[in-house]
Amino acid sequence: MNQRLIVVSLLLLLVASYLYLHRDMAVAMNRPFSTFPAQLGTWRMSGESFMTETVLDKLRPTDYLSRNYVNQDGKRVTLYIGYHGGGEQSGEIHSPKHCLPGSGWHEIYSGKHRLESDGKAFNMVKSVYQKDDSKELFLYWFQVKGKTLNNEYSLKLAEIVNSLLYKRRDAAFIRISVPFEGDEKEAARLGEAFAKDVCPVIKEYLPG
């Protein structure tokens, strides 16, 4: 057996041993979503929904929030935040690019977007989907250790790096949706206005 083969074998053995012994720790949130404010700037909570046991068993979030908020003009947005703490009981984040089409929604437009809120830039995806006669504008992003990511590949890379370096794979998925009929620009304006109010609050709940 030559020297190179011995070195490669030892490296593979070390990697296998590391993977066998490696365990990611569960990372707790700063606060539970049950304490999330019902009033966000000029927006007030108008409703809240909860997952069925079947959906919970499939997604396995550590904690989640699903609420409707309305502004002074009665315009509605829906906020979903799913936090996955990275422990053995925590599920993987499901991308809207797979979940929405699976629910009958067809993508009309999707692109990267950048929004300034509270002096900080947030990377996100802005997209429009249609289901039958219904249209919705979506703003969504992934959040890992305080960083906002706008694609699934960056999310997976961040999870792998954090797992190797810090033994943690915690991540969150945030989605804002705005139903609309005619004016997509107005829906985008509403979604971005709400995002600017909610982004500084979200960071108080998620671990950095």
Side-chain angles (χ1 to χ4, degrees):
M1 184 180 292
N2 60 42
Q3 187 175 3
R4 178 178 294 180
L5 185 57
I6 293 174
V7 171
V8 171
S9 299
L10 287 174
L11 287 174
L12 289 174
L13 180 61
L14 287 172
V15 170
S17 299
Y18 175 81
L19 292 175
Y20 178 76
L21 297 173
H22 182 82
R23 293 291 184 274
D24 291 318
M25 62 181 179
V27 181
M29 295 173 58
N30 297 336
R31 305 179 194 174
F33 284 139
S34 58
T35 65
F36 204 83
Q39 188 79 32
L40 295 166
T42 60
W43 301 85
R44 61 175 178 82
M45 186 179 79
S46 62
E48 188 167 16
S49 59
F50 300 93
M51 297 180 187
T52 64
E53 288 298 324
T54 301
V55 175
L56 273 176
D57 288 342
K58 182 178 181 180
L59 298 182
R60 292 186 293 141
T62 304
D63 196 3
Y64 75 96
L65 177 146
S66 182
R67 290 182 180 177
N68 292 330
Y69 284 84
V70 294
N71 64 7
Q72 294 173 328
D73 298 323
K75 300 295 185 180
R76 175 174 62 87
V77 302
T78 299
L79 171 67
Y80 173 80
I81 312 173
Y83 175 68
H84 299 252
E88 292 183 0
Q89 303 302 317
S90 177
E92 295 287 332
I93 290 177
H94 291 229
S95 170
K97 287 187 174 293
H98 306 300
C99 294
L100 287 172
S103 302
W105 290 88
H106 302 284
E107 182 184 290
I108 297 176
Y109 164 82
S110 183
K112 294 180 180 179
H113 190 59
R114 193 175 177 90
L115 184 71
E116 296 284 337
S117 176
D118 198 31
K120 182 180 178 181
F122 286 79
N123 300 302
M124 57 184 66
V125 175
K126 180 166 72 173
S127 59
V128 174
Y129 281 79
Q130 182 170 355
K131 182 178 182 180
D132 299 326
D133 294 329
S134 300
K135 289 184 180 180
E136 289 201 26
L137 179 134
F138 294 91
L139 297 173
Y140 69 85
W141 65 96
F142 311 100
Q143 197 152 321
V144 180
K145 289 189 66 181
K147 295 182 179 180
T148 55
L149 309 171
N150 56 17
N151 68 77
E152 293 78 4
Y153 300 106
S154 296
L155 170 66
K156 292 302 179 186
L157 179 60
E159 288 179 332
I160 291 171
V161 170
N162 288 335
S163 176
L164 292 173
L165 296 181
Y166 309 110
K167 290 190 175 182
R168 53 184 287 189
R169 293 177 64 92
D170 53 295
F173 170 66
I174 299 98
R175 183 189 67 216
I176 297 167
S177 56
V178 186
F180 70 97
E181 293 182 357
D183 193 351
E184 178 185 324
K185 291 183 179 179
E186 175 63 12
R189 186 191 68 79
L190 286 170
E192 291 178 12
F194 180 77
K196 288 180 179 180
D197 285 335
V198 77
C199 283
V201 180
I202 291 174
K203 70 179 183 181
E204 297 176 7
Y205 284 77
L206 302 179

